[in-house]
Amino acid sequence: MPRGSHGVLAVVLMLAMCFAPKSSYGAANALEVQVVSPTERIFPGTSVVDRGSTPLLLWGARNEFHSFQIALHSTAYVTIQGVGISNLVDHRTGLIIPGRNFRIRFPGLVFLGRHTGHTPKNELVGTVPGWFPDPLLTVTDERFRGTRSIWGTYYIPPGTERGDYEGELRIRYDGGGRRVIPVRLHVWGFNVPTSPSLYVTNWLYISQIESQYGIRFGTSRFWSVIDKIAADMSSHRQDVIFTPLSLIHSYAAKDGAYTFDFSDYDRWVGIFRRHGFRVIEGSHLFSRSSYDLRYRSAMGQRIPFGQRKLRTQKGRKFLEVLLRAVYAQNERLGIRGHYLQHVADEASRSQAGLYRKIVGIVHRTMPGVPVIDATQLPDSARLGMMDIPVTLLGKPLGRDTRIGARWGKWWYTALNPRGRFPNRFIDYPLVKLRLIPWLSWRYGISGYLHYGYNWWFTPSGKSPWKDVEQSGRYPPGDGFIVYPPLDGADTSPVSSLRWEVFRDGMEDYEYLHLLSAWAGSMSGNTACSGLAEQADRLIGRIRSVVASTVDYPRNPDILTKLRIRIGDMLDQLATCRKG
């Protein structure tokens, strides 16, 4: 177990989850339940309205994950001894969706001392200081008093027949208590594409894996963790991976020549490609020290390589040789056309001159490879800089057209925007995060970038479980979307409500993308022209509801109803397309 993780476990399980002594027992009829939206945060003090046997209503397409949530409340201490879902049966056909396709977890709590700044109260949730639900834990014998929730994820495999499936969700608790919730799942007759239609990258940091897992780079356990992370990212529809060029071991000979060992780079690329990643994103060539390249001299000394060296002829020569070698290696790996290169993150005006020189080296040594970077510079100030400008969500989009349709326009969030804009902070309503893919569709965005899949660094030295605000340097949760495992023997990251809701939004994006594509392709089809017109009207409705980066529904029920309408329309269009 990583250093300090025993203390983290105690905080999360004893304080955040309000566990009681084992001698306390609640009455068997004490548990109240309510089906709630998965985009609602359930706090320890959230009120629960028990509506008896109100069914859990679910909808989905084939090859889709989706979330649901059940709020629980007890005035006395109660232990949840088991939650399970029966096989779901279509009584018309007798076909079955196995209960094993459903996964049950419990939202744990993390402590926030302050709210995100520069944000009106009506754009925030929760009370500070206080406990906020975010990490998703797989535990048994869950004991609490007050309000908790059950988080469910279900998957509809490809090949599942369209239809209406029914079953039960069963909750067992101490004293012989049992609650049963009817489950009804409607499966539409179309598939969510396996390959994402929106490029997404959340940057991965090797240094944080080493420190939080307590492992060394290059060990078999390290590569096992990388494999689990690749699987997790892929299952959440991320298909672009930030790849540190420090994976390439560079050596300088006495005669000034350089050689490179690509074995770790090759292994990294191979793992992510096996998990379906389409794009390799080469790390920055200068800027913050954590992105610096390093190489070994003839004496074996480790030499840092940053902005200062790039201003020298020797430094630029090394970079040219390195990038030519990377280009050739990418050709051997079959990824030359699937590679993007960073130069500097959010380069300032004072860095623009050096930035342009490095871009010239990239274009000269890596023909056809686009330069991509987050930027807050206006169009007029970034001429001759990045080929794919990644602009801040809510800011004017770039007008650069050098790359064309393949890569399109990208945007990002990082510390900002705040206020009425969507973002992924722990104290923001989850609907804000789910709407980022909707807004990406609304604005014709092709890619979304965030700097932190696992930026677990805390200036305090505490575990990110204990310091989600990272000593006040970041809005809560901005640096990471998953948590390091509590159990040192586990290699899988711990998911969060935000990570699951983002995947739901990514699958919403696929619905929107299919709706636009299918409606356009059927405009000349006389048999389907009526449906195409209905689809066009629905698209107009969506655009009016999700109107801008500040004008969008805060009520998740509005999105749910829209999503059902889109699913019903796609179901009809899919049938018509088959003829």
Side-chain angles (χ1 to χ4, degrees):
M1 180 174 288
R3 184 181 303 170
S5 59
H6 288 91
V8 175
L9 186 61
V11 168
V12 173
L13 297 184
M14 294 179 66
L15 295 178
M17 298 181 184
C18 306
F19 279 101
K22 292 187 176 182
S23 59
S24 298
Y25 288 92
N29 60 356
L31 190 66
E32 297 176 288
V33 301
Q34 181 184 355
V35 176
V36 295
S37 168
T39 48
E40 180 181 355
R41 290 191 187 274
I42 303 301
F43 292 88
T46 299
S47 298
V48 171
V49 179
D50 195 323
R51 293 190 172 91
S53 298
T54 301
L56 172 61
L57 302 178
L58 307 173
W59 295 264
R62 297 187 289 250
N63 195 38
E64 178 180 5
F65 290 91
H66 210 63
S67 305
F68 64 88
Q69 189 171 203
I70 310 291
L72 311 174
H73 179 78
S74 177
T75 56
Y77 283 111
V78 63
T79 300
I80 304 299
Q81 297 175 331
V83 180
I85 292 186
S86 67
N87 290 340
L88 273 57
V89 180
D90 185 333
H91 295 292
R92 182 179 58 85
T93 63
L95 297 173
I96 292 174
I97 295 178
R100 64 175 177 271
N101 288 8
F102 289 74
R103 183 182 183 187
I104 301 296
R105 285 170 287 184
F106 293 88
L109 305 179
V110 290
F111 188 79
L112 269 63
R114 69 184 78 182
H115 270 309
T116 298
H118 308 290
T119 305
K121 289 183 178 179
N122 64 350
E123 299 284 350
L124 296 164
V125 294
T127 302
V128 293
W131 297 95
F132 283 65
D134 193 49
L136 284 172
L137 304 176
T138 302
V139 294
T140 57
D141 294 334
E142 195 72 2
R143 190 165 188 78
F144 69 97
R145 180 175 65 181
T147 303
R148 291 290 314 283
S149 73
I150 294 167
W151 186 273
T153 304
Y154 61 94
Y155 177 66
I156 304 173
T160 302
E161 292 292 332
R162 68 191 299 272
D164 295 292
Y165 296 79
E166 298 182 358
E168 293 179 338
L169 183 146
R170 301 160 184 155
I171 305 170
R172 293 184 297 104
Y173 57 101
D174 54 353
R178 186 169 180 266
R179 293 298 303 264
V180 177
I181 300 174
V183 179
R184 298 173 187 168
L185 169 61
H186 180 74
V187 177
W188 287 303
F190 64 93
N191 283 24
V192 169
T194 299
S195 183
S197 302
L198 178 69
Y199 293 114
V200 169
T201 178
N202 292 278
W203 293 348
L204 178 62
Y205 298 89
I206 289 175
S207 62
Q208 296 305 307
I209 294 171
E210 290 179 301
S211 63
Q212 294 297 326
Y213 279 81
I215 57 177
R216 292 178 56 192
F217 171 82
T219 62
S220 59
R221 186 159 181 268
F222 170 85
W223 289 113
S224 177
V225 169
I226 296 300
D227 186 74
K228 290 290 183 66
I229 287 173
D232 179 64
M233 287 179 164
S234 177
S235 72
H236 287 79
R237 304 193 73 79
Q238 175 169 337
D239 65 344
V240 182
I241 184 60
F242 185 80
T243 299
L245 294 185
S246 57
L247 288 166
I248 304 163
H249 303 284
S250 308
Y251 301 92
K254 290 181 179 179
D255 61 1
Y258 297 99
T259 58
F260 305 98
D261 177 356
F262 282 94
S263 55
D264 288 332
Y265 177 86
D266 292 355
R267 189 167 184 176
W268 175 283
V269 169
I271 288 172
F272 285 96
R273 294 286 282 177
R274 283 197 303 276
H275 284 283
F277 280 67
R278 292 184 292 169
V279 180
I280 304 301
E281 182 188 3
S283 63
H284 304 81
L285 303 178
F286 76 86
S287 189
R288 303 170 186 172
S289 60
S290 56
Y291 301 146
D292 282 354
L293 304 172
R294 293 174 182 269
Y295 65 91
R296 294 186 186 279
S297 69
M299 303 301 293
Q301 183 183 4
R302 191 83 161 150
I303 308 295
F305 184 89
Q307 282 191 57
R308 190 172 298 175
K309 286 212 167 42
L310 280 171
R311 297 184 186 277
T312 68
Q313 184 176 359
K314 181 179 179 181
R316 289 195 289 273
K317 176 190 173 185
F318 166 73
L319 187 62
E320 287 198 22
V321 175
L322 171 67
L323 294 182
R324 288 187 194 280
V326 172
Y327 188 75
Q329 189 67 12
N330 288 345
E331 178 75 36
R332 285 189 284 272
L333 295 173
I335 62 169
R336 191 188 70 184
H338 303 272
Y339 184 87
L340 303 173
Q341 182 61 58
H342 284 289
V343 169
D345 186 42
E346 296 181 325
S348 64
R349 289 178 182 269
S350 64
Q351 294 173 322
L354 178 59
Y355 190 106
R356 291 186 177 96
K357 289 180 181 179
I358 304 308
V359 168
I361 294 174
V362 173
H363 287 166
R364 187 165 60 252
T365 58
M366 309 178 89
V369 170
V371 170
I372 181 172
D373 271 314
T375 179
Q376 296 196 37
L377 296 176
D379 279 353
S380 59
R382 61 173 184 256
L383 294 175
M385 295 180 71
M386 63 286 299
D387 302 303
I388 306 174
V390 186
T391 54
L392 189 70
L393 186 150
K395 297 291 185 180
L397 295 170
R399 295 190 296 273
D400 305 63
T401 58
R402 295 190 295 274
I403 294 301
R406 178 182 177 188
W407 299 109
K409 297 180 184 296
W410 290 49
W411 62 11
Y412 76 106
T413 61
L415 306 177
N416 290 296
R418 306 187 193 187
R420 297 176 63 199
F421 294 96
N423 215 316
R424 66 182 218 180
F425 311 139
I426 290 174
D427 59 346
Y428 272 22
L430 288 166
V431 70
K432 283 178 172 278
L433 176 54
R434 184 161 182 172
L435 271 157
I436 290 176
W438 287 71
L439 287 164
S440 297
W441 170 84
R442 176 69 174 78
Y443 282 90
I445 299 296
S446 298
Y448 169 69
L449 179 152
H450 194 283
Y451 75 91
Y453 174 81
N454 71 324
W455 182 240
W456 293 320
F457 168 76
T458 60
S460 66
K462 296 178 181 178
S463 160
W465 288 83
K466 292 184 177 181
D467 188 5
V468 294
E469 299 165 78
Q470 297 172 290
S471 302
R473 291 197 182 184
Y474 302 87
D478 188 54
F480 52 90
I481 198 84
V482 297
Y483 292 78
L486 287 167
D487 183 353
D490 195 355
T491 55
S492 298
V494 176
S495 191
S496 68
L497 300 181
R498 294 172 295 138
W499 193 217
E500 300 303 303
V501 166
F502 182 72
R503 174 168 59 189
D504 291 342
M506 286 291 290
E507 291 181 334
D508 296 342
Y509 182 94
E510 298 299 344
Y511 280 41
L512 296 162
H513 185 77
L514 286 175
L515 182 65
S516 300
W518 288 0
S521 67
M522 291 185 178
S523 58
N525 185 329
T526 55
C528 300
S529 59
L531 277 178
E533 291 173 3
Q534 293 178 44
D536 286 337
R537 288 195 294 271
L538 179 55
I539 289 171
R541 171 62 179 160
I542 298 164
R543 290 183 179 278
S544 68
V545 173
V546 185
S548 75
T549 53
V550 294
D551 184 4
Y552 53 83
R554 271 63 171 178
N555 184 346
D557 291 342
I558 295 174
L559 283 189
T560 299
K561 291 174 181 177
L562 266 181
R563 190 178 189 278
I564 293 169
R565 288 184 62 187
I566 297 167
D568 286 339
M569 178 56 65
L570 289 172
D571 192 50
Q572 295 177 66
L573 290 170
T575 300
C576 198
R577 281 163 57 88
K578 292 176 182 176

